[in-house]
Amino acid sequence: MAKPLVKRILLPFALLVLFYTAFRNTPVVPQPSAQYPNLFGEHQEPLHVPINRPFVNKSHTWDHWDAVDVFPTNVESKPVELEIPNQDSKTVRVSTPLILTVPQNSQRSIPQALLGQLECPRAPNRFTNHIRLPNLLYNISMSPRSAVSREERTFWNPTIFALPYWAKNQYIVVSMVTPDGEALRRNVLCEANICHPKSAAPRLAHERPCSEDDLDLLGPNGGLRCVTAPIEVTVPPTPAAKCEGREQVFADIPGFHDPRIFYSGRGEPILILSSQSQYACIGLWAIDLRAVYPDLEGTMASSPKRLGPGPVMSYPTLTELTRSPPSSRRSYEKNWVMFSPSSSSSYLQYELTSSRRTIAQLIGGGLTTPNITDPLEEPCLQDPTMEEIAGSHYNENSAWHQATPSLKLILCSRSNLTCNPEIADTVFFAIIQRKNVNILGLPVRYERYVVVWSAAPPFNMLAVSRHPILMANETTSSWTAEESWDDVPEALLENRPLWGRITYTTTIAYAWGREEKDVREKGTGHLDDDVILSIGVDDEGQAYARVKVSELLQCMRVCPGREQVNLDESED
Ligand SMILES: *[C@@H]1O[C@H](CO)[C@@H](O)[C@H](O)[C@H]1NC(C)=O
Ligand SMILES: *[C@@H]1O[C@H](CO)[C@@H](O)[C@H](O)[C@H]1NC(C)=O
Ligand SMILES: *[C@@H]1O[C@H](CO)[C@@H](O)[C@H](O)[C@H]1NC(C)=O
Ligand SMILES: *[C@@H]1O[C@H](CO)[C@@H](O)[C@H](O)[C@H]1NC(C)=O
Ligand SMILES: *[C@@H]1O[C@H](CO)[C@@H](O)[C@H](O)[C@H]1NC(C)=O
């Protein structure tokens, strides 16, 4: 079917104008090309799998393991009637246990163990205000050892997912293939391992030495390399209900984007992605990674310490996540973060900014309760100050975005024999980014911060990094190389140039190699566990960092309204 000529001409321009709104979190976009218009409207296929599941009574679907559910004690469970949007965006009424919070004075204070995380290891860079960690960024190669020829494509937006310690390989990497003039967004998956040069003293007994070939591909410090050939991640296309005005161009772009993989509270490997929405234009969808990559099923079910199949799937098919009431949803949704306080309850944190936070409980089939955010909570994030805006590095369009999935953290060390996970305080943490844009609204810099919130309802925000965080060999845009390296004397002496225009963090995961009892522990860790940060570099690169939790969560600021202690804040 021929398209009106005017549409063919206008689309590339519309894409140019619009790309930064669509890819706020991933500053890289396919280049508009002459092929684009031909693809619109003609690649839309009907759904292959049902994309919405009927509402299920959660108490019937707990996994068959002898799970003793540890639910925080200060909650009261009471059935309520909820208005839930069904497949046709009409409303059905269901009755569900809703967690009601009982205000408690103790929640005004922050856990004692978090107080140890307020001190800063060093002064921030005096120009850029960053705190630099001593951890390097390592390279990632998608060329498997077995391959005959090297991988020539370029990749970005890695999401690194740690397999259980008994798996044959250490990680699963999903990366987006940098589009080369085509509209289809391709994501590939491989199993991968980390290697270190033989000369580097092995920090952990199970770390693997690099071969010559590895060092050739990854550089002198080693890194993460595919073991299996990258295979395309296919999920069914989803239709957009309605993309209007400036969003019209998104209606038919094939493929998904912003994949994130993490463990749910009962150890399910969940893949969340952005794709066309059955309620509006773009939405978030969840599917169990085992349904996409069946090889994982056997791994999940073969824990040496627990017999039986892996965790029951909450998302066996692609399921759209929703907001309640439906009128509160936006046409283009993105960056939602899931967290699981127990093995049977999960929540979505839709947004977290300097003025707004919205949380709801997932009640099955992607449906949620209305907003349960504590109305008494004061915002914890801050926008640039007048002084910062008066300088040349910030403007009033800076915005906070959730970036990575969240991890649960027991606030003591695994190596500490008096640390009892049953009674220690527990929190969630995630990485968020302050996106800074130029006057055209195009991203110039993503600043990396850690946020920490309570694992007990109402999940109050507890702390945030005082300063944005840089890794050892990373620089930040909009300052000169000298300014960026001001806190690294050797780099200054070598006249080290800037490295990486825009780096953004897509995922955090507890590193491979801990001896978990079963997969339900994969999303939970201790202060002395290591975390892998997946990092996208400009429009053509990917890297990762490995950081101990207690080092990532240092130099924190306590959120307003939480009880403060008298700490010396003079380094600000
Ligand atoms: C859910 O299942 C439990 C246990 O079988 C039952 O007591 C409860 O009434 C059910 N709730 C609904 C809404 O069906
Ligand atoms: C930092 O690490 C990345 C990823 O390994 C690498 O590509 C880059 O060259 C390094 N930067 C510097 C300044 O050494
Ligand atoms: C990553 O690879 C680049 C060359 O491609 C190399 O210069 C850099 O040193 C490597 N990074 C590390 C941390 O080894
Ligand atoms: C959710 O509730 C919080 C606290 O009352 C409020 O600040 C926030 O704006 C609400 N979110 C939405 C989308 O209404
Ligand atoms: C060990 O854990 C206990 C309880 O969590 C804590 O009070 C103590 O300070 C910890 N010891 C060390 C050396 O971190």
Side-chain angles (χ1 to χ4, degrees):
M1 206 179 68
K3 285 185 180 296
L5 183 62
V6 70
K7 202 167 168 193
R8 283 169 184 263
I9 293 169
L10 283 179
L11 269 171
F13 285 104
L15 272 171
L16 262 178
V17 174
L18 285 177
F19 81 86
Y20 64 84
T21 31
F23 293 86
R24 286 160 110 104
N25 197 32
T26 48
V28 190
V29 286
Q31 291 303 301
S33 78
Q35 292 136 280
Y36 263 79
N38 299 332
L39 284 163
F40 287 123
E42 278 142 46
H43 272 220
Q44 198 71 64
E45 286 166 39
L47 292 183
H48 296 306
V49 294
I51 50 173
N52 211 352
R53 296 200 309 143
F55 175 76
V56 286
N57 183 344
K58 275 212 156 180
S59 48
H60 295 305
T61 57
W62 287 7
D63 63 31
H64 42 271
W65 293 349
D66 48 340
V68 180
D69 199 29
V70 232
F71 208 81
T73 47
N74 54 340
V75 297
E76 194 179 276
S77 198
K78 173 162 140 188
V80 291
E81 287 258 293
L82 285 179
E83 310 246 307
I84 304 292
N86 75 359
Q87 209 157 336
D88 316 314
S89 308
K90 298 201 189 79
T91 294
V92 293
R93 293 180 81 83
V94 296
S95 180
T96 180
L98 179 69
I99 307 305
L100 297 178
T101 60
V102 180
Q104 268 198 3
N105 281 339
S106 66
Q107 288 177 3
R108 306 296 299 169
S109 63
I110 73 163
Q112 195 66 27
L114 213 46
L115 298 179
Q117 303 302 125
L118 305 183
E119 272 164 64
C120 300
R122 56 191 69 84
N125 179 303
R126 62 191 165 127
F127 300 104
T128 71
N129 194 37
H130 285 75
I131 287 281
R132 190 182 293 277
L133 299 182
N135 313 61
L136 274 182
L137 286 181
Y138 294 94
N139 288 320
I140 302 176
S141 168
M142 305 296 280
S143 270
R145 283 185 174 193
S146 56
V148 191
S149 62
R150 291 234 166 133
E151 182 61 74
E152 297 293 339
R153 297 174 293 179
T154 54
F155 300 88
W156 48 290
N157 256 7
T159 180
I160 303 170
F161 174 78
L163 290 166
Y165 77 91
W166 61 82
K168 192 160 133 245
N169 295 313
Q170 302 173 339
Y171 295 96
I172 282 182
V173 183
V174 171
S175 272
M176 193 152 172
V177 181
T178 307
D180 190 11
E182 67 168 352
L184 177 64
R185 291 167 294 188
R186 288 181 199 281
N187 290 270
V188 296
L189 174 154
C190 74
E191 293 190 15
N193 287 327
I194 288 178
C195 75
H196 290 288
K198 289 189 191 79
S199 56
R203 289 195 307 146
L204 296 164
H206 57 248
E207 289 204 341
R208 301 168 196 222
C210 298
S211 66
E212 282 305 311
D213 190 49
D214 292 337
L215 293 175
D216 231 35
L217 272 174
L218 295 167
N221 297 292
L224 180 66
R225 179 178 183 186
C226 287
V227 180
T228 59
I231 54 166
E232 189 150 340
V233 179
T234 47
V235 301
T238 58
K242 191 167 63 179
C243 289
E244 287 177 330
R246 306 181 346 140
E247 287 176 350
Q248 263 173 39
V249 290
F250 304 129
D252 300 328
I253 293 179
F256 63 87
H257 60 100
D258 293 347
R260 302 283 185 266
I261 312 171
F262 55 90
Y263 286 97
S264 74
R266 60 169 180 226
E268 302 152 278
I270 309 260
L271 166 65
I272 282 195
L273 49 89
S274 292
S275 186
Q276 280 81 0
S277 167
Q278 62 187 327
Y279 303 112
C281 186
I282 301 290
L284 284 101
W285 299 73
I287 187 167
D288 197 294
L289 190 61
R290 289 169 291 178
V292 174
Y293 182 59
D295 285 8
L296 191 54
E297 180 102 52
T299 303
M300 302 294 288
S302 57
S303 163
K305 294 183 182 160
R306 185 188 274 269
L307 295 179
V312 162
M313 292 189 191
S314 306
Y315 304 98
T317 60
L318 199 56
T319 306
E320 185 161 7
L321 304 175
T322 61
R323 281 205 203 231
S324 182
S327 59
S328 65
R329 80 155 284 143
R330 300 195 198 121
S331 168
Y332 197 120
E333 293 283 10
K334 62 203 321 191
N335 305 335
W336 294 357
V337 170
M338 200 187 278
F339 60 95
S340 305
S342 73
S343 62
S344 63
S345 64
S346 293
Y347 291 77
L348 283 176
Q349 178 158 278
Y350 298 102
E351 59 245 324
L352 178 61
T353 69
S354 51
S355 58
R356 182 133 87 162
R357 184 174 184 220
T358 308
I359 304 172
Q361 189 182 354
L362 279 155
I363 54 174
L367 304 179
T368 62
T369 66
N371 187 3
I372 57 136
T373 313
D374 178 1
L376 300 176
E377 181 173 288
E378 294 171 48
C380 189
L381 305 181
Q382 291 166 354
D383 286 330
T385 60
M386 296 306 281
E387 276 165 305
E388 281 175 318
I389 291 173
S392 57
H393 303 294
Y394 291 88
N395 60 38
E396 62 283 356
N397 294 324
S398 295
W400 291 103
H401 290 282
Q402 301 197 90
T404 70
S406 62
L407 293 175
K408 198 167 157 185
L409 172 66
I410 296 166
L411 284 172
C412 52
S413 291
R414 202 176 278 277
S415 59
N416 179 342
L417 296 178
T418 61
C419 159
N420 178 353
E422 303 298 320
I423 56 170
D425 283 307
T426 308
V427 295
F428 288 97
F429 70 98
I431 286 175
I432 58 164
Q433 293 174 144
R434 186 156 74 172
K435 185 177 95 171
N436 296 285
V437 296
N438 63 17
I439 46 168
L440 295 173
L442 299 173
V444 291
R445 175 176 78 254
Y446 283 70
E447 294 172 340
R448 183 184 295 130
Y449 287 77
V450 180
V451 282
V452 178
W453 66 95
S454 171
F459 312 112
N460 287 123
M461 291 294 303
L462 299 174
V464 58
S465 311
R466 253 171 231 266
H467 303 279
I469 299 166
L470 279 185
M471 297 301 152
N473 71 341
E474 192 180 12
T475 57
T476 185
S477 302
S478 82
W479 283 274
T480 64
E482 292 73 31
E483 289 168 337
S484 243
W485 292 119
D486 184 67
D487 54 323
V488 187
E490 323 81 85
L492 272 183
L493 279 175
E494 294 170 12
N495 272 327
R496 210 179 283 175
L498 290 170
W499 178 80
R501 195 176 60 85
I502 292 180
T503 52
Y504 47 96
T505 315
T506 56
T507 296
I508 49 175
Y510 285 114
W512 184 87
R514 307 175 311 177
E515 291 221 355
E516 300 93 9
K517 284 199 233 18
D518 75 61
V519 286
R520 280 183 303 178
E521 290 174 17
K522 289 297 297 177
T524 303
H526 288 79
L527 284 168
D528 53 350
D529 283 340
D530 280 355
V531 169
I532 302 284
L533 283 74
S534 309
I535 292 170
V537 185
D538 296 340
D539 52 354
E540 58 195 10
Q542 45 177 2
Y544 76 92
R546 180 179 184 131
V547 184
K548 192 182 284 231
V549 180
S550 59
E551 280 163 28
L552 191 61
L553 273 65
Q554 58 185 335
C555 201
M556 310 281 302
R557 165 170 69 75
V558 173
C559 293
R562 303 296 111 198
E563 240 150 58
Q564 302 255 357
V565 283
N566 280 331
L567 263 194
D568 181 11
E569 304 214 359
S570 57
E571 95 290 343
D572 267 2

